[in-house]
Amino acid sequence: MEFSAIPTVLLTSSSKAPPPVQVKQRRPESVFHPSVWGDHFLAYASADMRVDINTKQKHQQLKEDVRKQLVEAKDVFNKFKDNEGKFKESLIGDVRGLLSLYQATFLSVRQEDILDEAMKFTTTHLNSALPNLSNNPIAAQVVHALYQPIHKGLTRLESRLFISFYQKDDSHNKVLLDFVTLDFNLLQKLHQKELSELTRWWKALDVAGKLPFARDRLVEIYFWLKDLVGAYCKEAKWYHEGYVPSMDEHWPVALLSCGHQSISTISFIGMGELATKEAFDWVSSNPLIVQGSSVICRLIDDVVGHKFEQERGHIASSVECYMKQYGATEEEAIVEFQKRVTNAWKDMNSEFLRPTPVPMPLLQLPLNLARVIYVLYKDGDNYTHSGTKLKGIVTSVLVDPVPT
């Protein structure tokens, strides 16, 4: 307020003192650790992205060979059942068969008791088999599957992990392995180049300096937004042609102008502040896949972050509301929410089984959002605390190439 704008009566010594102003207590500001990446991706700015003719030809030939092999593959799902439609007892000793069936159970829908039963069956026997797999390469694959099923995982991350498992499998298909390794590494180079451009842009904005209260998570946002939108088709065309578009020529412009701004807003103020009742009321009129994704995102965030919300003075979380409304304990509320999350996954699965005029890439968006939240928050707020588990995940996908 300028001096001339102050009422004269407040400047005179004889004026009556104004009533005290009631100042609302400010909630404590959050302090987040800085980006763990710093200038790392700036080093890729000068990287040569051109793909030599031999590499492009090899990639195309491997792609065609893999396509032919997939067309020739036979349906093997029925091998899990006997003549009476029950699970074969021989499966107990077939770890690979158990693992395949286990992964398939996550595609179930509501009232599909057979797959719910199969999930219990396979989970029990895979856990029982682990102590006897100490010298078997499949042990690591089983451990990971029990922790993170493929259907709920991020595409690029699960691909990277599976390649490492497949390399150790003596029965691997060499053509397939060579193709996926080359394909992964070529696309990683493009991602590194994009991140170098985004890092330069981010630093020019001085986000960390101007918004010290915010979570500086550019690389993490880029990592999971890649899986969210699944923007690979156009990129694949670029790296096959040896072309690297500039920041003004391709989709990162849209990423920065709309998607990135939205995601950055969530990053800065937190999911909890946006996840109000009003923000989720609209889903009641939307398809099951949208409703399911919203339920998963909200409940996983609340289960992980409700104590953090309390510390920051946020609105009551769903966990707290449920406890108060039903007189439940925190543990009972979390168990109930986990059931609702499971049903939400089934609702989304059912949406993919129905005829729909909606293009598949659009249906994938809410599914991929649920996957992102599941991976980042299932065992803690790995997004806020990005220097531990999440750093390793990002490194495996965006920094370290698959060894050949």
Side-chain angles (χ1 to χ4, degrees):
M1 179 181 290
E2 296 181 1
F3 185 85
S4 59
I6 301 176
T8 307
V9 66
L10 297 183
L11 301 178
T12 61
S13 58
S14 61
S15 62
K16 187 177 181 180
V21 178
Q22 297 295 325
V23 180
K24 291 184 179 181
Q25 182 178 2
R26 294 182 62 188
R27 70 184 186 188
E29 293 185 357
S30 302
V31 178
F32 301 108
H33 70 75
S35 171
V36 299
W37 298 102
D39 296 342
H40 175 85
F41 286 95
L42 288 178
Y44 298 109
S46 59
D48 186 357
M49 290 296 299
R50 289 174 298 180
V51 180
D52 65 79
I53 186 65
N54 292 332
T55 300
K56 287 192 291 185
Q57 290 177 346
K58 179 181 179 181
H59 182 272
Q60 188 59 37
Q61 183 59 53
L62 288 170
K63 181 179 180 179
E64 181 61 24
D65 292 343
V66 170
R67 188 193 65 81
K68 291 179 181 178
Q69 293 182 13
L70 289 175
V71 170
E72 296 169 358
K74 296 181 180 180
D75 181 11
V76 296
F77 190 79
N78 288 331
K79 75 175 184 179
F80 300 126
K81 301 177 181 179
D82 58 23
N83 293 333
E84 298 179 359
K86 297 180 180 180
F87 299 122
K88 294 179 179 179
E89 288 296 322
S90 60
L91 270 178
I92 297 176
D94 180 7
V95 176
R96 291 188 185 278
L98 281 174
L99 188 57
S100 296
L101 180 56
Y102 167 82
Q103 297 286 14
T105 63
F106 289 92
L107 298 172
S108 67
V109 299
R110 295 205 195 201
Q111 283 80 51
E112 199 165 39
D113 296 337
I114 184 66
L115 285 183
D116 290 340
E117 182 184 344
M119 181 178 291
K120 295 177 182 178
F121 176 85
T122 54
T123 300
T124 297
H125 291 294
L126 284 173
N127 276 304
S128 298
L130 271 177
N132 301 318
L133 298 175
S134 56
N135 296 321
N136 194 322
I138 201 173
Q141 193 172 345
V142 171
V143 170
H144 176 70
L146 291 171
Y147 170 74
Q148 173 66 69
I150 290 176
H151 183 58
K152 296 182 179 180
L154 303 180
T155 304
R156 291 289 290 171
L157 175 60
E158 290 303 310
S159 298
R160 175 64 181 85
L161 291 170
F162 186 79
I163 292 173
S164 66
F165 295 143
Y166 197 57
Q167 286 175 326
K168 298 175 183 177
D169 186 347
D170 293 336
S171 63
H172 69 249
N173 182 308
K174 189 176 186 307
V175 172
L176 177 60
L177 182 59
D178 288 347
F179 170 70
V180 295
T181 298
L182 179 60
D183 188 75
F184 187 95
N185 289 343
L186 285 174
L187 188 52
Q188 185 189 73
K189 287 181 179 296
L190 179 59
H191 290 166
Q192 291 170 345
K193 185 70 172 182
E194 287 182 341
L195 264 173
S196 70
E197 296 284 344
L198 288 170
T199 301
R200 177 174 57 80
W201 166 82
W202 192 253
K203 289 181 69 66
L205 291 179
D206 189 24
V207 174
K210 295 177 180 177
L211 302 173
F213 56 84
R215 283 175 286 191
D216 185 2
R217 302 290 183 268
L218 173 71
V219 174
E220 290 79 6
I221 291 172
Y222 175 92
F223 166 76
W224 68 262
L225 197 57
K226 276 294 184 183
D227 261 279
L228 175 60
V229 301
Y232 299 125
C233 295
K234 194 172 184 181
E235 294 170 338
K237 181 176 184 294
W238 284 331
Y239 77 66
H240 288 320
E241 295 176 355
Y243 169 63
V244 182
S246 70
M247 284 291 291
D248 295 328
E249 294 179 292
H250 66 111
W251 73 267
V253 174
L255 169 72
L256 303 181
S257 64
C258 56
H260 197 280
Q261 289 178 5
S262 299
I263 300 304
S264 296
T265 300
I266 295 176
S267 172
F268 292 161
I269 66 178
M271 282 288 290
E273 295 186 40
L274 292 183
T276 61
K277 179 179 182 299
E278 292 77 11
F280 281 84
D281 277 347
W282 67 274
V283 304
S284 60
S285 61
N286 284 273
L288 280 177
I289 191 169
V290 177
Q291 296 182 43
S293 178
S294 300
V295 168
I296 291 170
C297 294
R298 174 60 193 265
L299 295 187
I300 288 180
D301 178 70
D302 271 352
V303 167
V304 172
H306 72 278
K307 289 184 178 179
F308 183 61
E309 288 171 353
Q310 288 176 318
E311 293 172 0
R312 298 180 67 190
H314 285 187
I315 59 175
S317 68
S318 297
V319 173
E320 295 170 277
C321 293
Y322 185 90
M323 292 169 62
K324 183 176 182 179
Q325 182 173 352
Y326 296 100
T329 64
E330 180 180 325
E331 182 179 355
E332 290 170 338
I334 291 175
V335 169
E336 173 61 25
F337 284 5
Q338 288 172 339
K339 291 179 181 177
R340 297 186 185 187
V341 167
T342 297
N343 284 333
W345 281 108
K346 292 183 176 183
D347 289 341
M348 287 197 295
N349 291 340
S350 67
E351 198 77 359
F352 282 94
L353 300 177
R354 300 175 180 177
T356 173
V358 180
M360 187 58 68
L362 291 182
L363 286 181
Q364 285 287 134
L365 289 177
L367 173 62
N368 288 344
L369 178 59
R371 287 167 167 167
V372 165
I373 299 302
Y374 179 83
V375 171
L376 265 61
Y377 289 88
K378 61 181 286 188
D379 55 3
D381 189 351
N382 292 294
Y383 182 68
T384 296
H385 308 291
S386 62
T388 53
K389 173 186 173 182
L390 184 54
K391 183 178 181 181
I393 289 175
V394 173
T395 298
S396 69
V397 175
L398 296 177
V399 178
D400 294 340
V402 179
T404 57

